[in-house]
Amino acid sequence: MFGFNKSADSAFHNLTPAKFAEGLRQPGAVLVDVRRPEEFAAGHLPGAVNIEVTAPDFGQRVAALDQDAPTYVYCRSGARSASAAGMLTKSGFANVSNLLGGVLDWPEPLTTK
């Protein structure tokens, strides 16, 4: 209704693993893992940068990213990344996507490199 009660959820895209993987192939796409550093070290999507959503410097660290680049966020199950996606869109990121189901539903092997 006229956008006055627009929820944060409607400002970003929730994507299935297949659609998320497809989006990552876009030139300039940025992949952000918002889990804790020890979770990231245990296995993450190739090419991801780790910026923990619950860290006190989360806002400062994401401010260094290109707000116009397609930004893809994920976590273990999709809950923390949905929160992060909402924060990103509120701070001016134009194209944010969240991985539904997180790495629990990711069909491909994770990397530790």
Side-chain angles (χ1 to χ4, degrees):
M1 300 223 166
F2 306 114
F4 294 123
N5 295 318
K6 188 174 180 184
S7 71
D9 292 347
S10 63
F12 60 87
H13 308 281
N14 282 306
L15 302 178
T16 62
K19 289 288 185 188
F20 194 86
E22 188 179 303
L24 286 176
R25 291 192 285 272
Q26 292 180 77
V30 176
L31 178 60
V32 182
D33 182 323
V34 300
R35 299 175 300 159
R36 294 186 311 273
E38 60 272 18
E39 291 176 286
F40 182 83
H44 56 271
L45 274 61
V49 59
N50 185 214
I51 305 177
E52 182 185 355
V53 68
T54 57
D57 65 346
F58 177 76
Q60 289 174 303
R61 292 190 61 201
V62 296
L65 301 175
D66 181 356
Q67 292 190 351
D68 295 321
T71 305
Y72 292 81
V73 295
Y74 73 93
C75 64
R76 179 178 171 272
S77 67
R80 284 176 285 176
S81 55
S83 173
M87 289 186 238
L88 290 171
T89 56
K90 283 180 183 168
S91 64
F93 280 74
N95 185 358
V96 180
S97 297
N98 174 48
L99 175 59
L100 287 172
V103 294
L104 291 177
D105 286 351
W106 188 250
E108 299 170 31
L110 301 177
T111 184
T112 54
K113 295 178 183 174

